Coordinates of all heavy atoms in Angstrom, one line a residue:
M11 N -12.1 -29.6 -30.4 CA -13.4 -30.1 -29.9 C -14.0 -29.0 -29.0 O -13.4 -28.5 -28.1 CB -13.1 -31.4 -29.0 CG -14.3 -32.0 -28.4 SD -13.8 -33.4 -27.5 CE -14.7 -33.1 -26.0
I12 N -15.3 -28.8 -29.3 CA -16.0 -27.8 -28.5 C -16.8 -28.5 -27.4 O -17.5 -29.5 -27.6 CB -17.1 -27.1 -29.4 CG1 -16.3 -26.2 -30.4 CG2 -18.0 -26.2 -28.5 CD1 -17.3 -25.5 -31.4
K13 N -16.6 -28.1 -26.2 CA -17.2 -28.7 -25.0 C -18.1 -27.6 -24.4 O -17.8 -26.5 -24.3 CB -16.1 -29.1 -24.0 CG -16.7 -29.7 -22.8 CD -15.8 -30.8 -22.2 CE -16.4 -31.3 -21.0 NZ -16.3 -32.7 -20.9
T14 N -19.3 -28.1 -24.1 CA -20.3 -27.2 -23.5 C -20.3 -27.4 -22.0 O -20.1 -28.6 -21.5 CB -21.7 -27.3 -24.1 OG1 -22.1 -28.7 -23.9 CG2 -21.7 -27.0 -25.6
F15 N -20.6 -26.4 -21.2 CA -20.7 -26.5 -19.8 C -22.0 -26.0 -19.3 O -22.5 -25.0 -19.8 CB -19.6 -25.7 -19.1 CG -18.2 -26.2 -19.4 CD1 -17.4 -25.6 -20.4 CD2 -17.7 -27.3 -18.7 CE1 -16.2 -26.1 -20.7 CE2 -16.4 -27.7 -19.0 CZ -15.6 -27.2 -20.0
T16 N -22.6 -26.7 -18.3 CA -23.8 -26.2 -17.7 C -23.6 -25.0 -16.9 O -22.5 -24.7 -16.5 CB -24.5 -27.3 -16.8 OG1 -23.6 -27.5 -15.7 CG2 -24.7 -28.6 -17.6
H17 N -24.7 -24.2 -16.7 CA -24.6 -23.0 -15.8 C -24.1 -23.5 -14.4 O -23.3 -22.8 -13.8 CB -26.0 -22.4 -15.8 CG -26.0 -21.0 -15.3 ND1 -25.4 -20.0 -16.0 CD2 -26.4 -20.5 -14.1 CE1 -25.5 -18.8 -15.3 NE2 -26.2 -19.1 -14.1
E18 N -24.6 -24.6 -14.0 CA -24.2 -25.1 -12.6 C -22.7 -25.3 -12.6 O -22.1 -25.0 -11.6 CB -25.0 -26.4 -12.3 CG -24.6 -27.0 -11.0 CD -25.2 -28.3 -10.7 OE1 -26.0 -28.8 -11.5 OE2 -24.9 -28.9 -9.6
K19 N -22.2 -25.9 -13.6 CA -20.7 -26.2 -13.6 C -19.9 -24.9 -13.6 O -18.9 -24.8 -12.9 CB -20.3 -27.1 -14.8 CG -18.8 -27.5 -14.7 CD -18.5 -28.5 -15.7 CE -18.2 -29.8 -15.0 NZ -17.7 -30.8 -15.9
L20 N -20.4 -23.9 -14.3 CA -19.7 -22.6 -14.3 C -19.8 -22.0 -12.9 O -18.8 -21.4 -12.4 CB -20.3 -21.7 -15.4 CG -19.9 -22.0 -16.8 CD1 -20.6 -21.1 -17.8 CD2 -18.4 -22.0 -17.0
L21 N -21.0 -22.1 -12.3 CA -21.1 -21.5 -10.9 C -20.2 -22.2 -10.0 O -19.5 -21.6 -9.1 CB -22.5 -21.6 -10.5 CG -23.5 -20.6 -11.0 CD1 -24.9 -21.0 -10.6 CD2 -23.2 -19.2 -10.5
R22 N -20.1 -23.5 -10.1 CA -19.2 -24.3 -9.2 C -17.7 -23.9 -9.5 O -16.9 -23.8 -8.6 CB -19.4 -25.8 -9.4 CG -20.7 -26.3 -8.9 CD -21.0 -27.7 -9.0 NE -19.9 -28.5 -8.3 CZ -19.5 -29.7 -8.6 NH1 -20.0 -30.3 -9.7 NH2 -18.6 -30.3 -7.9
Y23 N -17.4 -23.6 -10.7 CA -16.1 -23.1 -11.1 C -15.8 -21.7 -10.4 O -14.8 -21.5 -9.7 CB -15.9 -23.0 -12.6 CG -14.6 -22.3 -12.9 CD1 -13.4 -23.0 -12.9 CD2 -14.5 -21.0 -13.3 CE1 -12.2 -22.4 -13.2 CE2 -13.3 -20.4 -13.6 CZ -12.2 -21.1 -13.6 OH -11.0 -20.5 -13.9
V24 N -16.8 -20.8 -10.5 CA -16.6 -19.5 -9.9 C -16.4 -19.6 -8.4 O -15.6 -18.9 -7.8 CB -17.8 -18.6 -10.3 CG1 -17.9 -17.4 -9.4 CG2 -17.8 -18.3 -11.8
Y25 N -17.1 -20.5 -7.8 CA -17.0 -20.7 -6.3 C -16.0 -21.7 -5.9 O -15.9 -22.1 -4.7 CB -18.4 -21.1 -5.7 CG -19.3 -19.9 -5.6 CD1 -20.2 -19.6 -6.6 CD2 -19.3 -19.1 -4.5 CE1 -21.0 -18.5 -6.5 CE2 -20.1 -18.0 -4.4 CZ -21.0 -17.7 -5.4 OH -21.8 -16.6 -5.3
N26 N -15.1 -22.1 -6.9 CA -14.0 -23.0 -6.6 C -14.4 -24.3 -6.0 O -13.8 -24.7 -5.0 CB -13.0 -22.3 -5.8 CG -11.6 -22.9 -5.9 OD1 -11.3 -23.5 -6.9 ND2 -10.8 -22.7 -4.9
E27 N -15.5 -24.9 -6.5 CA -16.1 -26.1 -5.9 C -15.9 -27.3 -6.9 O -16.5 -28.4 -6.6 CB -17.6 -25.9 -5.6 CG -17.8 -24.9 -4.6 CD -19.3 -24.6 -4.3 OE1 -20.1 -25.1 -5.1 OE2 -19.6 -23.9 -3.3
L28 N -15.1 -27.2 -7.9 CA -14.9 -28.3 -8.9 C -13.7 -29.1 -8.5 O -12.7 -28.5 -8.0 CB -14.8 -27.7 -10.3 CG -16.0 -27.2 -11.0 CD1 -15.6 -26.6 -12.4 CD2 -17.1 -28.2 -11.1
P29 N -13.7 -30.4 -8.8 CA -12.5 -31.2 -8.6 C -11.5 -30.6 -9.6 O -11.8 -30.0 -10.6 CB -13.0 -32.6 -9.1 CG -14.4 -32.6 -9.0 CD -14.9 -31.2 -9.2
A30 N -10.2 -30.9 -9.3 CA -9.1 -30.3 -10.1 C -9.2 -30.6 -11.6 O -9.0 -29.7 -12.4 CB -7.8 -30.8 -9.5
N31 N -9.6 -31.8 -11.9 CA -9.6 -32.2 -13.3 C -10.7 -31.4 -14.1 O -10.5 -30.9 -15.2 CB -9.8 -33.7 -13.5 CG -11.1 -34.2 -13.0 OD1 -11.6 -33.8 -11.9 ND2 -11.6 -35.2 -13.6
E32 N -11.9 -31.2 -13.4 CA -12.9 -30.5 -14.0 C -12.6 -29.0 -14.1 O -12.9 -28.3 -15.1 CB -14.2 -30.7 -13.3 CG -14.8 -32.1 -13.5 CD -16.1 -32.3 -12.7 OE1 -16.9 -31.3 -12.7 OE2 -16.3 -33.4 -12.2
Q33 N -11.9 -28.5 -13.1 CA -11.5 -27.1 -13.1 C -10.5 -26.8 -14.3 O -10.7 -25.8 -14.9 CB -10.8 -26.7 -11.8 CG -10.4 -25.3 -11.7 CD -9.9 -24.9 -10.3 OE1 -10.1 -25.7 -9.3 NE2 -9.2 -23.8 -10.2
Q34 N -9.6 -27.7 -14.5 CA -8.7 -27.6 -15.6 C -9.5 -27.6 -17.0 O -9.1 -26.8 -17.9 CB -7.7 -28.7 -15.6 CG -6.6 -28.5 -14.5 CD -5.7 -29.7 -14.4 OE1 -5.9 -30.7 -15.0 NE2 -4.5 -29.5 -13.7
E35 N -10.5 -28.4 -17.1 CA -11.3 -28.5 -18.3 C -11.9 -27.1 -18.6 O -11.9 -26.6 -19.7 CB -12.4 -29.5 -18.2 CG -11.9 -30.9 -18.4 CD -13.1 -31.9 -18.3 OE1 -14.3 -31.5 -18.1 OE2 -12.9 -33.1 -18.3
V36 N -12.5 -26.5 -17.5 CA -13.2 -25.2 -17.7 C -12.1 -24.2 -18.0 O -12.4 -23.4 -18.9 CB -13.9 -24.9 -16.4 CG1 -14.5 -23.4 -16.5 CG2 -15.1 -25.9 -16.1
E37 N -11.0 -24.2 -17.4 CA -10.0 -23.2 -17.6 C -9.5 -23.2 -19.1 O -9.2 -22.2 -19.7 CB -8.8 -23.3 -16.6 CG -9.3 -22.8 -15.3 CD -8.2 -23.1 -14.2 OE1 -7.2 -23.8 -14.4 OE2 -8.5 -22.6 -13.0
Q38 N -9.3 -24.5 -19.6 CA -8.8 -24.6 -21.0 C -9.9 -24.1 -21.9 O -9.6 -23.4 -22.9 CB -8.5 -26.1 -21.3 CG -7.3 -26.5 -20.6 CD -7.0 -28.0 -20.9 OE1 -7.8 -28.7 -21.4 NE2 -5.8 -28.5 -20.4
A39 N -11.2 -24.4 -21.6 CA -12.3 -23.9 -22.5 C -12.4 -22.4 -22.5 O -12.6 -21.8 -23.5 CB -13.6 -24.6 -22.0
L40 N -12.1 -21.8 -21.3 CA -12.2 -20.3 -21.2 C -11.2 -19.7 -22.1 O -11.4 -18.6 -22.6 CB -12.0 -19.9 -19.7 CG -13.1 -20.2 -18.8 CD1 -12.7 -20.0 -17.3 CD2 -14.4 -19.5 -19.1
Q41 N -10.0 -20.3 -22.3 CA -9.0 -19.7 -23.1 C -9.3 -19.7 -24.6 O -8.8 -18.9 -25.3 CB -7.7 -20.5 -22.9 CG -7.1 -20.3 -21.5 CD -5.9 -21.2 -21.3 OE1 -5.4 -21.9 -22.2 NE2 -5.3 -21.2 -20.1
H42 N -10.2 -20.6 -25.0 CA -10.5 -20.8 -26.4 C -12.0 -20.3 -26.8 O -12.3 -20.4 -27.9 CB -10.3 -22.2 -26.8 CG -8.9 -22.7 -26.5 ND1 -7.9 -22.3 -27.3 CD2 -8.4 -23.6 -25.6 CE1 -6.7 -22.8 -26.8 NE2 -7.1 -23.6 -25.8
D43 N -12.8 -20.0 -25.8 CA -14.2 -19.6 -26.1 C -14.5 -18.3 -25.5 O -14.7 -18.2 -24.2 CB -15.1 -20.7 -25.5 CG -16.5 -20.5 -25.9 OD1 -17.0 -19.4 -26.2 OD2 -17.3 -21.5 -25.9
A44 N -14.5 -17.2 -26.3 CA -14.8 -15.9 -25.8 C -16.2 -15.7 -25.2 O -16.3 -15.0 -24.1 CB -14.6 -14.9 -26.9
D45 N -17.2 -16.4 -25.7 CA -18.5 -16.3 -25.1 C -18.5 -16.9 -23.7 O -19.2 -16.4 -22.8 CB -19.5 -17.0 -26.0 CG -19.8 -16.2 -27.3 OD1 -19.5 -15.0 -27.3 OD2 -20.2 -16.8 -28.3
L46 N -17.9 -18.1 -23.6 CA -17.8 -18.7 -22.3 C -17.1 -17.9 -21.3 O -17.5 -17.7 -20.2 CB -17.2 -20.1 -22.5 CG -17.1 -21.0 -21.2 CD1 -18.5 -21.4 -20.7 CD2 -16.2 -22.2 -21.4
A47 N -16.0 -17.3 -21.8 CA -15.2 -16.4 -20.9 C -16.0 -15.2 -20.4 O -16.0 -14.8 -19.3 CB -13.9 -16.0 -21.6
A48 N -16.8 -14.6 -21.3 CA -17.7 -13.5 -21.0 C -18.8 -13.9 -20.0 O -19.0 -13.2 -19.0 CB -18.3 -12.9 -22.3
T49 N -19.3 -15.1 -20.2 CA -20.3 -15.6 -19.2 C -19.7 -15.8 -17.9 O -20.3 -15.4 -16.8 CB -20.9 -16.9 -19.7 OG1 -21.6 -16.7 -21.0 CG2 -21.9 -17.5 -18.8
C50 N -18.5 -16.4 -17.9 CA -17.8 -16.6 -16.6 C -17.5 -15.3 -15.9 O -17.6 -15.1 -14.7 CB -16.6 -17.4 -16.8 SG -15.8 -18.1 -15.3
A51 N -17.1 -14.3 -16.7 CA -16.7 -13.0 -16.1 C -18.0 -12.3 -15.5 O -17.9 -11.7 -14.4 CB -16.2 -12.1 -17.2
D52 N -19.1 -12.5 -16.2 CA -20.4 -12.0 -15.6 C -20.7 -12.7 -14.3 O -21.1 -12.0 -13.3 CB -21.6 -12.2 -16.6 CG -21.5 -11.3 -17.8 OD1 -20.7 -10.3 -17.8 OD2 -22.2 -11.6 -18.8
L53 N -20.5 -14.0 -14.2 CA -20.7 -14.7 -13.0 C -19.8 -14.3 -11.8 O -20.2 -14.1 -10.7 CB -20.6 -16.2 -13.2 CG -21.7 -16.8 -14.0 CD1 -21.4 -18.3 -14.3 CD2 -23.0 -16.8 -13.3
L54 N -18.5 -14.0 -12.2 CA -17.6 -13.5 -11.2 C -17.9 -12.2 -10.7 O -17.8 -11.9 -9.5 CB -16.2 -13.5 -11.8 CG -15.5 -14.9 -12.0 CD1 -14.3 -14.7 -12.9 CD2 -15.0 -15.4 -10.6
L55 N -18.4 -11.3 -11.6 CA -18.9 -10.0 -11.2 C -20.1 -10.1 -10.3 O -20.1 -9.4 -9.2 CB -19.2 -9.1 -12.4 CG -19.7 -7.7 -12.1 CD1 -18.6 -6.9 -11.4 CD2 -20.0 -7.0 -13.4
A56 N -21.0 -10.9 -10.6 CA -22.2 -11.1 -9.8 C -21.8 -11.7 -8.4 O -22.3 -11.2 -7.4 CB -23.2 -12.1 -10.4
Q57 N -20.8 -12.6 -8.4 CA -20.4 -13.1 -7.1 C -19.8 -12.0 -6.2 O -20.1 -11.9 -5.0 CB -19.3 -14.2 -7.3 CG -18.8 -14.8 -6.0 CD -17.5 -15.5 -6.2 OE1 -16.7 -15.2 -7.1 NE2 -17.3 -16.6 -5.5
R58 N -18.9 -11.2 -6.8 CA -18.3 -10.2 -6.0 C -19.3 -9.1 -5.6 O -19.2 -8.6 -4.4 CB -17.2 -9.5 -6.9 CG -16.0 -10.4 -7.1 CD -14.8 -9.6 -7.7 NE -13.8 -10.6 -7.8 CZ -13.3 -11.0 -9.0 NH1 -13.8 -10.4 -10.1 NH2 -12.3 -11.8 -9.1
T59 N -20.3 -8.8 -6.4 CA -21.4 -7.9 -6.0 C -22.2 -8.5 -4.8 O -22.4 -7.8 -3.9 CB -22.3 -7.6 -7.2 OG1 -21.5 -7.1 -8.3 CG2 -23.4 -6.6 -6.8
L60 N -22.5 -9.7 -4.9 CA -23.3 -10.4 -3.9 C -22.5 -10.4 -2.6 O -23.1 -10.3 -1.5 CB -23.7 -11.8 -4.3 CG -24.8 -11.8 -5.3 CD1 -25.0 -13.3 -5.8 CD2 -26.1 -11.3 -4.8
D61 N -21.2 -10.6 -2.7 CA -20.4 -10.7 -1.5 C -20.3 -9.3 -0.7 O -20.0 -9.3 0.5 CB -19.0 -11.1 -1.8 CG -18.9 -12.6 -2.1 OD1 -19.9 -13.4 -1.8 OD2 -17.9 -13.1 -2.7
T62 N -20.6 -8.2 -1.4 CA -20.5 -6.9 -0.8 C -21.8 -6.5 -0.2 O -21.9 -5.5 0.5 CB -20.1 -5.9 -1.8 OG1 -21.0 -5.7 -2.8 CG2 -18.7 -6.2 -2.4
L63 N -22.9 -7.2 -0.4 CA -24.2 -6.9 0.2 C -24.2 -7.0 1.7 O -23.5 -7.9 2.2 CB -25.3 -7.7 -0.5 CG -25.5 -7.5 -2.0 CD1 -26.6 -8.4 -2.5 CD2 -25.9 -6.1 -2.3
R64 N -25.1 -6.3 2.3 CA -25.3 -6.4 3.7 C -25.9 -7.7 4.1 O -26.8 -8.2 3.4 CB -26.2 -5.2 4.2 CG -26.5 -5.2 5.6 CD -27.4 -4.1 6.0 NE -26.8 -2.9 5.7 CZ -27.3 -1.7 6.0 NH1 -28.5 -1.6 6.6 NH2 -26.6 -0.6 5.8
R65 N -25.4 -8.3 5.1 CA -25.8 -9.7 5.4 C -26.7 -9.7 6.6 O -27.1 -10.8 7.1 CB -24.6 -10.6 5.7 CG -23.8 -10.8 4.4 CD -22.8 -11.9 4.6 NE -22.2 -12.2 3.3 CZ -20.9 -12.1 3.0 NH1 -20.1 -11.8 4.0 NH2 -20.5 -12.4 1.8
K66 N -27.0 -8.6 7.2 CA -28.0 -8.6 8.3 C -28.9 -7.5 8.1 O -28.6 -6.5 7.4 CB -27.2 -8.5 9.7 CG -26.5 -7.2 9.9 CD -25.8 -7.2 11.2 CE -25.2 -5.8 11.5 NZ -24.6 -5.7 12.8
P67 N -30.1 -7.6 8.7 CA -31.1 -6.6 8.5 C -30.7 -5.3 9.2 O -30.0 -5.3 10.2 CB -32.4 -7.2 9.1 CG -31.9 -8.2 10.1 CD -30.6 -8.7 9.5
S68 N -31.3 -4.2 8.7 CA -31.0 -2.9 9.4 C -31.8 -2.9 10.7 O -32.7 -3.7 11.0 CB -31.6 -1.8 8.5 OG -33.0 -1.8 8.4
Q69 N -31.4 -2.0 11.6 CA -32.0 -1.9 12.9 C -33.5 -1.6 12.7 O -34.3 -2.1 13.5 CB -31.3 -0.8 13.7 CG -31.8 -0.7 15.1 CD -31.5 -1.9 15.9 OE1 -30.5 -2.6 15.7 NE2 -32.4 -2.2 16.9
S70 N -33.8 -0.7 11.8 CA -35.2 -0.4 11.6 C -36.1 -1.6 11.2 O -37.2 -1.8 11.6 CB -35.4 0.8 10.6 OG -34.9 0.4 9.3
S71 N -35.5 -2.5 10.3 CA -36.2 -3.7 10.0 C -36.4 -4.6 11.2 O -37.5 -5.2 11.4 CB -35.4 -4.4 8.9 OG -35.4 -3.7 7.7
T72 N -35.4 -4.7 12.0 CA -35.5 -5.6 13.2 C -36.6 -5.0 14.1 O -37.4 -5.8 14.6 CB -34.1 -5.6 13.9 OG1 -33.2 -6.1 13.0 CG2 -34.2 -6.5 15.1
E73 N -36.6 -3.7 14.3 CA -37.6 -3.1 15.2 C -39.0 -3.3 14.6 O -39.9 -3.5 15.4 CB -37.3 -1.6 15.3 CG -36.0 -1.3 16.2 CD -36.1 -1.8 17.6 OE1 -37.2 -1.8 18.2 OE2 -35.0 -2.2 18.1
A74 N -39.1 -3.2 13.3 CA -40.5 -3.3 12.7 C -41.0 -4.8 12.9 O -42.1 -5.0 13.2 CB -40.4 -3.0 11.2
I75 N -40.1 -5.7 12.8 CA -40.5 -7.1 13.0 C -40.8 -7.4 14.5 O -41.9 -8.0 14.8 CB -39.3 -8.1 12.6 CG1 -39.2 -8.0 11.0 CG2 -39.6 -9.5 13.0 CD1 -37.9 -8.6 10.5
L76 N -40.0 -6.8 15.4 CA -40.3 -7.0 16.8 C -41.7 -6.3 17.1 O -42.5 -6.9 17.9 CB -39.2 -6.4 17.6 CG -37.9 -7.2 17.6 CD1 -36.8 -6.5 18.3 CD2 -38.1 -8.6 18.2
Q77 N -41.9 -5.1 16.6 CA -43.2 -4.4 16.9 C -44.4 -5.2 16.4 O -45.4 -5.4 17.0 CB -43.1 -3.0 16.3 CG -44.4 -2.2 16.6 CD -44.6 -2.0 18.1 OE1 -43.6 -1.8 18.8 NE2 -45.8 -2.1 18.5
Y78 N -44.2 -5.8 15.2 CA -45.3 -6.6 14.6 C -45.6 -7.8 15.5 O -46.7 -8.2 15.7 CB -44.9 -7.0 13.2 CG -45.9 -8.0 12.6 CD1 -47.1 -7.5 12.0 CD2 -45.7 -9.3 12.6 CE1 -48.0 -8.3 11.4 CE2 -46.6 -10.2 12.0 CZ -47.8 -9.7 11.5 OH -48.7 -10.5 10.9
S79 N -44.5 -8.5 15.9 CA -44.7 -9.7 16.7 C -45.3 -9.3 18.1 O -46.2 -10.1 18.6 CB -43.4 -10.4 17.0 OG -42.5 -9.6 17.7
R80 N -45.0 -8.2 18.6 CA -45.7 -7.7 19.9 C -47.1 -7.5 19.7 O -48.0 -7.8 20.5 CB -45.0 -6.5 20.4 CG -43.6 -6.7 21.0 CD -43.0 -5.5 21.5 NE -41.5 -5.6 21.7 CZ -40.6 -5.0 21.0 NH1 -41.0 -4.0 20.2 NH2 -39.3 -5.2 21.3
T81 N -47.5 -6.8 18.6 CA -48.8 -6.6 18.2 C -49.6 -7.9 18.0 O -50.7 -8.0 18.5 CB -48.9 -5.7 16.9 OG1 -48.2 -4.5 17.2 CG2 -50.4 -5.4 16.6
F82 N -49.0 -8.8 17.3 CA -49.6 -10.1 17.1 C -49.9 -10.8 18.3 O -50.9 -11.4 18.5 CB -48.7 -10.9 16.1 CG -49.3 -12.3 15.8 CD1 -50.4 -12.4 14.9 CD2 -48.8 -13.4 16.4 CE1 -50.9 -13.6 14.6 CE2 -49.3 -14.7 16.1 CZ -50.3 -14.8 15.2
L83 N -48.9 -10.8 19.3 CA -49.1 -11.5 20.5 C -50.2 -10.9 21.4 O -50.9 -11.6 22.1 CB -47.8 -11.5 21.3 CG -46.7 -12.4 20.8 CD1 -45.4 -12.2 21.5 CD2 -47.1 -13.9 20.8
R84 N -50.4 -9.6 21.3 CA -51.4 -9.0 22.1 C -52.8 -9.3 21.6 O -53.8 -9.4 22.4 CB -51.3 -7.4 22.1 CG -50.2 -6.9 23.0 CD -50.2 -5.4 23.0 NE -48.8 -5.0 23.2 CZ -48.3 -4.0 22.6 NH1 -48.9 -3.3 21.7 NH2 -47.0 -3.7 22.8
S85 N -52.9 -9.5 20.3 CA -54.3 -9.7 19.7 C -54.6 -11.2 19.7 O -55.8 -11.6 19.5 CB -54.3 -9.2 18.3 OG -53.4 -9.9 17.5
A86 N -53.7 -12.1 20.1 CA -54.0 -13.5 20.1 C -54.6 -14.0 21.3 O -54.8 -13.4 22.3 CB -52.7 -14.3 19.9

């Protein structure tokens, strides 16, 4: 039996947010469907890439925002 999964369900699988029974369904399908496994691998790679991104603005960005707000306050 071929079972299809939504993109949302695969994302929930990647982020380990599925109930145990649904997680097992996805894992079984991954073993038998190369396309699904490739899609899941792409999502895992994207997740790892996003996790490595900087999570706070650079000092120059912060300074530019502060300077803009000071300028805006003076002109108001």
Side-chain angles (χ1 to χ4, degrees):
M11 179 177 131
I12 295 176
K13 181 147 179 138
T14 58
F15 295 98
T16 63
H17 195 69
E18 178 186 359
K19 185 171 250 185
L20 288 176
L21 282 171
R22 290 180 63 209
Y23 173 78
V24 166
Y25 282 92
N26 201 26
E27 296 176 349
L28 289 177
N31 62 325
E32 291 181 35
Q33 184 173 341
Q34 288 176 344
E35 284 180 3
V36 173
E37 288 171 352
Q38 288 176 354
L40 289 171
Q41 293 175 2
H42 302 290
D43 186 337
D45 290 336
L46 183 65
T49 299
C50 193
D52 289 343
L53 290 173
L54 285 165
L55 179 61
Q57 177 198 34
R58 288 191 182 114
T59 301
L60 288 171
D61 285 346
T62 63
L63 295 177
R64 182 180 294 184
R65 293 194 172 119
K66 64 180 186 174
S68 67
Q69 186 62 34
S70 62
S71 294
T72 303
E73 291 298 326
I75 292 167
L76 289 172
Q77 183 60 40
Y78 175 81
S79 67
R80 288 182 197 117
T81 303
F82 179 74
L83 287 174
R84 282 188 214 137
S85 64

